Amino acid sequence: AAKADEARGLEGWALMRREHAPPLWRSLLSALYLELMGGGVYAFGVYAPYLKERFGYSQGQVQLVGTVGNVGAWFLLPAGYSFDRFGPVAGIFVGSGFCLLGYLLLWGIVSQRVGGAGEYALLLAGAFAAQHGCGWWDGTAVPMASRNFPHDRGLAVGLIKGFFGISSSVITLLYQSFFRPDIAAFMLSLALGLPAGAMAAALGASLAPTKGTAAAPALNLEERARVVAVGYGLLALLVVYISSSSLSQKQQNRPVLGLLLIGLLASFFALLWPIKVRRMERILSRGGWSDNGGGGADDAATASLMSRRGGNSSTADGDGDAGASTSSSAAALASGSRVAAFEQVLRERNFWLIFSVCFIGMGSGITLINNIGGLVLSLGGARGQQDTYVVLISVGSCVGRAGAGLASDQFKRWPRANYLLANSLLMALAQLSLCIPNLSSLYLSCFLTGVSFGAYFSLMPVILGDFFAGSDFGKVLGAAMMAPTLGSLVFSTFLASTFYKWASPAHAATCVGPACFRATWFVLAASSFLAAQLSRKIK
């Protein structure tokens, strides 16, 4: 029976090579909506000020809630092990269980149905479970897209990560349209809506075979044009719509804007149809993408990548496939990747360089995300005003994720490590701009920080896939995603909270003035310059 099921799966994917067939595109759509549901990890910025105001928690206590949630969101090793062993569907259902439990617990606390002496501990547990569930969806969607699009990894990962980046704005806009200021109803909607959406996305989740004629092919020029024009085009439209809609309802809820947003999100189903976009095909062909799914610049980049790696590492082609299956090795090498077992990857210098750069860069972005409410208040802003800045960070994150993924595939002659270097310099500039104590300049600072922060989340899996794709890639990615977890702990919980406390008057719960966060931004800017130097050592 198992062999018959495998044969039917191979037959379905083989059909995909002859037609514009649904398995590949359904899996991309599934990954897109999984990342949308996974954006629940960023809902903390909406309800964090409420925790401080309603329950009287200190800035350090609120930061700890955010950090515990971040630990849950990016503790992806269990999701990686599950993906490598059981495939995508199991991880989707596990994540749904965690998310349901976590947000129900948070709903019970904010609605005062749950409380008592252990209220704060339950709050921490709820934040961890809710965001850990969202993390399982992210830990499923990214390896699924990487596996199904091995020749177009940057294009696919950039699109789904862009969706993940804009998801916090989607959630914020839905809150503004339907729920504000009812935090309890908002939490209940997340508890029920996010798992339901993820389980619906599981209907399209599947993995391409890694052997024979049914193995995932490279996209041809027409298909790449469809992804860029339809996928990235709709994503850009979504960014513009959310930005304008959020600004137009800063004070008054407008449910019609939320309904239009839901309709726009549904329009991504257009990816399932073989839409021909001739103008985009001409643009991409001039940029170096050919119609043979792997020629031109792609072949040159792959050859260059392989020549730089040959014979210089313990995980080169001759030795590195010991821990991977033969079929996975073939698929990985076909896409220009080097196959290595998980234990071998952890001994690789390049892995830890990538980890360190992302630890600094992602941690810097998380520090702003977790502290945006306190930052706005310290600069004289009103309560609730942080919603607009949260949207700008999310919009920037979407632009960074989509742009980094698309550019790293379009311009493959420029080593992807150089994108990490440029992105670290952008983060340093963004952190320096945060030192300007002005709510007007904060708009640009939030957008730039979001762009750089989001770009890391596309560049990390794409670069790791270039070096270490194979049957253990889920675990590799899960281990690397500990970088933002540690970054949140070190920079947001410890560094920012310590400087905030030092700048606060004695016995005051709230700090007011530019000194509250200025030292934090200076330290993060210097750290980002260090990350840029580390990026130069990735070979």
Side-chain angles (χ1 to χ4, degrees), residues 33 170 173-174 177-178 234 237-242 244-246 248-249 254-268:
Y33 286 118
V170 170
L173 183 56
L174 292 176
S177 299
F178 301 117
L234 285 174
L237 179 61
L238 188 62
V239 167
V240 173
Y241 176 79
I242 288 177
S244 58
S245 299
S246 181
S248 69
Q249 59 175 352
R254 300 179 187 273
V256 66
L257 296 179
L259 293 174
L260 289 174
L261 172 63
I262 293 172
L264 186 55
L265 293 173
S267 67
F268 282 84

Side-chain angles (χ1 to χ4, degrees), residues 79-207:
Y81 275 94
S82 173
F83 180 86
D84 290 339
R85 185 173 178 84
F86 302 112
V89 176
I92 294 172
F93 277 86
V94 171
S96 298
F98 273 110
C99 185
L100 175 64
L101 176 63
Y103 274 116
L104 280 179
L105 189 53
L106 291 175
W107 167 72
I109 292 172
V110 299
S111 64
Q112 297 184 312
R113 289 174 169 82
V114 177
E119 178 183 79
Y120 186 68
L122 291 174
L123 181 62
L124 294 176
F128 178 88
Q131 297 194 34
H132 188 54
C134 295
W136 273 77
W137 298 331
D138 183 41
T140 298
V142 175
M144 181 168 65
S146 296
R147 163 93 170 259
N148 290 347
F149 296 87
H151 307 274
D152 306 277
R153 189 177 291 118
L155 185 70
V157 171
L159 178 60
I160 68 170
K161 277 299 186 180
F163 222 54
F164 189 79
I166 199 63
S167 59
S168 64
S169 288
V170 170
I171 289 172
T172 301
L173 183 56
L174 292 176
Y175 166 70
Q176 292 174 333
S177 299
F178 301 117
F179 302 104
R180 189 173 56 184
D182 192 346
I183 291 290
F186 175 60
M187 290 295 187
L188 183 59
S189 71
L190 293 178
L192 301 178
L194 295 181
M199 287 188 287
L203 297 175
S206 61
L207 293 178

